[in-house]
Structures are given as structure tokens and as C-alpha cells.
Amino acid sequence: MPHTASRYLAEGPRVGIRHFTYDDGVEFAARARESKALHQPWLFPPDTPTAYTAYASRLIEDPTKAGFLVCEKASGQDGGAVDGAIAGFININNIVEGGFRCGALGYGAFAHAAGRGLMREGLNLVMDHAFGPMRLHRLEINVQPRNAASIALARSCGFRLEGFSPDMIFIDGAWRDHERWAITSEMRASG
């Protein structure tokens, strides 16, 4: 029987992760529009195909960034999930190599996938990829303190709270406070 290559970089029981492509614009933008109530005021993913193209080009072309789409895998028992449907996204930004070997994570679930554990599975796959083939040592997540869902995801995946930074990131017209969460490859290996 011939082996068929997976379209995913890594797969779990319910999701696979793959890189962004320009062809994902229509679906991604539609999912972002459907998810505005879930995302705001925390994040503002591109909600038009044109805005998506600009966003994706940075993730595809800039070597200091790596973007991953978390996609559902149809299993026959998941209530009709469309195989390959985009459930969310996880980006590694500000990748620094050399002695630092670190990146900063940003992520978001789409409304149809929120609360189903798909992003936890996807984040675990991204961490395996980051600490494996990408050879990173440390991943960081900066989260606004009132974003309970994002903090719960970081905590459930083994990130530790390392500090608080007032006025850290400019979001939605103002400088916002953030909690700093991090995990290292050693923490991941021992967890």
C-alpha cells in the first residue's frame, strides 16, 4: 500500500497543524468575522481576504516568524467536523536564534472551536515542533490579565507565570498591561 504524505507538520487525535498559505484567506477571514465577539478586546485577526494576505505574508516570508493553522480532523464521531477546517491559529513571533533560541507566541481560537480543547492540542503540537525541528529553547506568551481563556490555555500547557509588565503592548488604541508566561524545552521534557 503506498504511503501518502500528511498535509500536516504534526497531528494529534483531533487536530493537525500546518503553515499558513495564501489560499487560506477566504476561510480565515470568514472565521475571524464570526469570532469578533470572542476575540475582542484581546485580539484583532484579519477579517477580510486582503487584510489576511498582508498578515499571512509576514508569517510566510519573515524568518523571525512562524505561523501555524490549527485544523480539525474529521473522525466520524465529532458531530460533523469538516476535515481540515481552521479551528484557530498559533504564531511564533520575534524568533531569535543563537544563544537565546526563543520566540513569543500569539494565538486565537475561532468561535466554532472555542472550549473544545482543540487549541490545547494544537498548542502542544506547536510546542513539540518548536522544541524539536525548530530547535528553540524557550517560548513566551504575553497575556492581558483579564483574558481568562488565554491564561487557562497557557497554564494547561505547562507555561509558568514569570511576571507582570505594565503598558507592554499597544492594542486597540492603548498600551495594555500583560502577564508574562513561559516554558522551556527542559520544562516540557520533564512535564
Side-chain angles (χ1 to χ4, degrees):
M1 183 166 168
H3 173 70
T4 57
S6 173
R7 64 180 155 181
Y8 298 117
L9 295 166
E11 295 182 58
R14 297 181 302 148
V15 303
I17 59 168
R18 64 177 177 80
H19 287 296
F20 280 69
T21 71
Y22 290 110
D23 292 338
D24 295 311
V26 171
E27 181 185 359
F28 189 100
R31 301 254 184 230
R33 286 190 305 274
E34 294 166 0
S35 304
K36 279 187 190 258
L38 175 68
H39 291 157
Q40 293 176 3
W42 317 117
L43 86 145
F44 299 82
D47 62 1
T48 67
T50 301
Y52 171 85
T53 297
Y55 176 79
S57 71
R58 292 188 296 272
L59 294 167
I60 293 168
E61 298 171 19
D62 184 342
T64 67
K65 299 179 185 316
F68 303 91
L69 294 174
V70 177
C71 301
E72 291 188 71
K73 293 169 39 183
S75 68
Q77 57 185 336
D78 53 9
V82 176
D83 191 46
I86 300 171
F89 56 96
I90 302 168
N91 302 328
I92 306 176
N93 301 297
N94 308 323
I95 297 170
V96 179
E97 295 182 349
F100 202 41
R101 294 194 351 244
C102 180
L105 291 174
Y107 50 76
F110 289 123
H112 75 281
R116 295 173 45 207
L118 302 176
M119 289 300 290
R120 182 175 45 253
E121 187 176 320
L123 183 53
N124 279 306
L125 292 171
V126 168
M127 286 191 298
D128 289 345
H129 189 74
F131 293 140
M134 292 180 71
R135 298 186 52 231
L136 294 179
H137 173 257
R138 177 183 172 87
L139 293 171
E140 300 175 354
I141 300 171
N142 296 297
V143 183
Q144 292 180 59
R146 292 185 300 120
N147 188 343
S150 188
I151 290 169
L153 178 58
R155 184 178 284 125
S156 74
C157 288
F159 285 75
R160 68 178 171 218
L161 178 62
E162 291 190 336
F164 177 81
S165 296
D167 301 330
M168 182 180 188
I169 302 173
F170 195 78
I171 299 173
D172 195 25
W175 290 99
R176 307 292 179 184
D177 299 344
H178 281 71
E179 291 181 1
R180 296 186 323 275
W181 293 77
I183 192 168
T184 64
S185 57
E186 292 86 0
M187 290 168 60
R188 180 90 174 141
S190 67

